[in-house]
Amino acid sequence: MSGLPPAVLPPSIADLSDEQVVALYGLEARPASGTSAVGWLRVNFVTTLDGSASAGGVTAGIGGPDDLRVFDLLRRVTDVVLVAAGTVRDEGYGSMRVRDADVAWRRAHGMPDHPVFAIVSGSLSLDPSSPVFTEAPVRPIVLTSSSAPADRREALAAVADVVSCGEDSVDVGLVREALVSRGLGRIHCEGGPSFLGSLIAAGLVDELCLTIDPSLEGGAGPRIARGSSPDLRRMRLAHVLRGEGGVLLTRYVRQVGSGS
């Protein structure tokens, strides 16, 4: 015997129903669509123990089934899924459709069947013929700058609402304002690292849902955020769940008075 006290493990997500997970994440407590002047911006990421946000260049190799379960439930309750164009391309995004069970839940809670897909792109290097647009159940939104190429803007305007959020570059504060002004107050962001870095620097992150995979990537994988921030943005741990194979599912919320 080592004399050490037994380890106290967090509760297992396997013991919780989807409704219990939704309640634990506090998702239903967030401002209802269109009722908040500023909205609520949640970001969702996965990381290895040594801080890599990907394995082999994509996130698919880390996190496991419990991370995917939370991923789906976070989409279930949001008004809009916000993603930078580079991540849309790198991760092979298709149209923004949630599962049948999620559609049923959304209908029961007075929400549209599917969340809106909002893509941030300064250069508008997006293919209008992609399933992201052609198979979208809800018309997507592309958030860009006024200086974006006019021909690309015209092509994308046929399949999406193209919204300017800044003159020479995309202003993330204006991105948030544009979504909230459309009644999309519950914002769920899925990356990527450069975009998250911009949100952190602007003090716009209200919540971080972070899955920690018990693996060491050891390569040149990116952190979940890139860039610099003038202040340290402190977050408060809201809960931790234990997933299969030692995965930890954590949730942090913005700490008031932390410089954010």
Side-chain angles (χ1 to χ4, degrees):
M1 297 291 292
S2 66
L4 295 175
V8 178
L9 297 176
S12 172
I13 192 173
D15 296 331
L16 302 177
S17 67
D18 285 352
E19 292 292 340
Q20 288 173 318
V21 174
V22 166
L24 183 61
Y25 271 80
L27 303 177
E28 290 181 306
R30 299 294 167 247
S33 300
T35 63
S36 171
V38 295
W40 182 267
L41 196 153
R42 174 189 303 113
V43 294
N44 183 47
F45 270 87
V46 61
T47 179
T48 61
L49 288 174
D50 56 345
S52 177
S54 67
V58 294
T59 61
I62 53 178
D66 293 315
D67 175 65
L68 291 176
R69 181 184 176 194
V70 170
F71 183 86
D72 286 334
L73 291 175
L74 293 173
R75 284 185 172 186
R76 169 188 285 193
V77 299
T78 195
D79 296 320
V80 56
V81 177
L82 177 65
V83 191
T87 298
V88 172
R89 292 188 293 267
D90 293 344
E91 299 287 345
Y93 274 69
S95 61
M96 186 54 61
R97 294 179 180 272
V98 296
R99 305 166 302 174
D100 290 346
D102 300 320
V103 170
W105 188 95
R106 291 172 67 87
R107 289 177 179 175
H109 289 78
M111 300 176 70
D113 285 2
H114 301 276
V116 178
F117 197 6
I119 303 170
V120 178
S121 176
S123 65
L124 294 183
S125 297
L126 296 163
D127 182 1
S129 66
S130 163
V132 167
F133 301 107
T134 60
E135 299 178 9
V138 184
R139 186 174 173 88
I141 302 171
V142 176
L143 303 141
T144 188
S145 67
S146 299
S147 62
D151 57 337
R152 294 179 184 175
R153 179 187 293 270
E154 182 179 359
L156 286 167
V159 293
D161 291 349
V162 182
V163 181
S164 292
C165 296
E167 293 298 324
D168 298 322
S169 61
V170 178
D171 182 323
V172 292
L174 295 179
V175 165
R176 179 168 177 155
E177 290 178 11
L179 296 177
V180 172
S181 70
R182 290 169 172 254
L184 306 173
R186 289 171 290 202
I187 306 167
H188 172 65
C189 175
E190 296 176 358
S194 295
F195 185 49
L196 175 56
S198 298
L199 293 172
I200 293 171
L204 297 176
V205 177
D206 296 306
E207 180 174 330
L208 170 65
C209 297
L210 181 67
T211 296
I212 304 171
D213 187 278
S215 60
L216 298 170
E217 199 265 347
R223 295 176 52 193
I224 66 168
R226 284 198 296 262
S228 61
S229 177
D231 300 297
L232 191 64
R233 311 292 181 178
R234 293 201 174 275
M235 307 292 283
R236 174 179 59 83
L237 180 63
H239 79 249
V240 181
L241 289 174
R242 174 168 45 92
E244 180 181 311
V247 166
L248 293 179
L249 305 144
T250 68
R251 172 174 168 257
Y252 297 85
V253 295
R254 177 168 50 84
Q255 186 169 302
V256 177
S258 65
S260 56

